[in-house]
Amino acid sequence: MRRAAEFLLGGAVVYVAMAAQAAGCASEVGPDVGPLGSGGQGGALVAGGFGGAPGGPSGEAGAVATAGEGGSGGIFNPVPAADAKSGTRLKARAYRGADGSEQPTFTWQDTERNEECSFRVAADGKVRCLPSAAVSASYFADAGCTIPAYFTATPIGCVPPPAYLFANAETCSPDGAAGVRVFERGAPPISIYGGKPGACVVLYATIPGGFVVYGAGAEVPASAFVEASIATLP
């Protein structure tokens, strides 16, 4: 009887841990690898959801269908969730099995911008559906540390170049979450800098071989993306 109780308790702990991990990683930006080799292997694009296997352009693998509703369950979503509901502009995305099954990917298709997106805090401090095909830019392309740049070791796998770069914003949401600025991917810089304005240092005057670098192009205003708010569902 004691062993049975221990087994049940252990299973409950694992389930809770998986649920917490799924909830906490829904909108995290994957870490990139800097010139000093900190962190894990870089190059993975931002995935707002966790409904797919890593390695694809937005953290998902296989055929994805746009659907107004989907199911729940699976290792990436151990906690049952309400079915996704499409709006006039954002359409819910789901894995659709050949047997008729469906499971939400927890990402959306922005039909106006024709791109996948997921909810996170934007530069204006509001929650908005920001593009999934983005990388987190933690370096700079200029000596004043004002132009964001992405710099990482060459990623392994078939990961296409991102359409956007995310950079930290000065604003925060009412609950204290930091916002991000969205930039179109621009030309790769010649040099890489680190630090902040007023304390900017050159890390690499010339980009060494075996690294991937992206520069920031034009900034996309936060108002270009669909705004959202937290609602309590019945």
Side-chain angles (χ1 to χ4, degrees), residues 49-206:
F50 41 84
S58 59
E60 56 189 28
V64 176
T66 299
E69 58 181 351
S72 60
I75 189 169
F76 295 99
N77 179 31
V79 180
D83 291 343
K85 180 181 179 181
S86 293
T88 56
R89 174 174 165 179
L90 298 183
K91 303 300 180 181
R93 291 165 55 87
Y95 291 101
R96 179 171 294 161
D99 62 346
S101 59
E102 291 182 352
Q103 175 180 301
T105 64
F106 301 97
T107 61
W108 302 84
Q109 182 69 20
D110 188 330
T111 56
E112 183 176 302
R113 297 182 59 84
N114 192 29
E115 61 192 14
E116 180 187 337
C117 64
S118 58
F119 291 111
R120 60 181 298 139
V121 180
D124 59 357
K126 299 179 180 179
V127 175
R128 297 181 180 273
C129 202
L130 303 185
S132 298
V135 289
S136 178
S138 53
Y139 300 95
F140 299 93
D142 65 311
C145 284
T146 60
I147 303 175
Y150 176 78
F151 182 60
T152 184
T154 303
I156 299 175
C158 305
V159 180
Y164 303 94
L165 272 66
F166 285 167
N168 292 333
E170 296 298 328
T171 56
C172 297
S173 65
D175 63 0
V180 296
R181 301 167 67 189
V182 181
F183 294 84
E184 296 178 352
R185 188 186 80 245
I190 298 175
S191 304
I192 286 293
Y193 298 82
K196 59 183 180 180
C200 192
V201 296
V202 61
L203 300 178
Y204 285 106
T206 303

